Amino acid sequence: YWPSVVTSYTPVSSWVSNTTLTGTWQRIGGDLGRFNCQAACSGAPTTAALTFALPSGLTINTSKLVSVGVEQTLGIGKVNDSNAALYAIVPRYNNSTSIICINLGATGTYVNEPGVTSESAPITFGNGDFVNIEFTVPITNWNA
């Protein structure tokens, strides 16, 4: 199988207020989907743990994941604090149609995954801040 054409979509997210959402997806091989998502803030986002949904009609094939808990890391990501600082985050399994973003540390410290990325963690999000993630998951009914 060759990779499919990269397709743009607007992800559904838990952040709605003051947030512009963009994304792309591509089929890789027999049953993997690669997704890139961004949440760019023009002000304070919705008060919520940050999640991104897959495009409509796509479902994560949980039988091919090691775990269906939030401990299942699916990719890599970053928080950009208005180009002043970067923070590492990881996309994790949330449910069969969405992922959740998890913080990996805090400024000046080394901590073990302090929690979900939210409107106030790892930074207080506002104008000019954004989140980028990339993740790969097996998709139901895409047979290898």
Side-chain angles (χ1 to χ4, degrees):
Y1 291 96
W2 295 97
S4 69
V5 173
V6 174
T7 302
S8 295
Y9 81 108
T10 302
V12 172
S13 174
S14 55
W15 285 6
V16 180
S17 299
N18 301 312
T19 307
T20 300
L21 302 162
T22 55
T24 62
W25 70 273
Q26 178 181 34
R27 184 173 175 167
I28 305 295
D31 68 348
L32 291 178
R34 178 173 39 215
F35 302 84
N36 289 284
C37 298
Q38 178 173 286
C41 298
S42 59
T46 306
T47 301
L50 178 58
T51 62
F52 289 97
L54 300 181
S56 180
L58 298 184
T59 303
I60 297 171
N61 186 343
T62 57
S63 70
K64 294 189 176 184
L65 295 179
V66 172
S67 169
V68 292
V70 293
E71 63 275 3
Q72 177 67 47
T73 298
L74 302 171
I76 132 179
K78 71 176 180 184
V79 168
N80 186 317
D81 184 3
S82 298
N83 296 315
L86 298 174
Y87 300 87
I89 62 173
V90 294
R92 297 253 172 107
Y93 177 85
N94 186 49
N95 60 44
S96 64
T97 59
S98 72
I99 59 89
I100 189 166
C101 297
I102 304 291
N103 299 329
L104 292 182
T107 303
T109 63
Y110 294 93
V111 295
N112 291 325
E113 301 182 17
V116 297
T117 301
S118 70
E119 78 292 343
S120 60
I123 64 171
T124 299
F125 283 85
N127 187 42
D129 301 330
F130 62 89
V131 174
N132 286 105
I133 59 166
E134 180 178 326
F135 61 99
T136 304
V137 291
I139 299 297
T140 301
N141 296 325
W142 285 1
N143 298 320

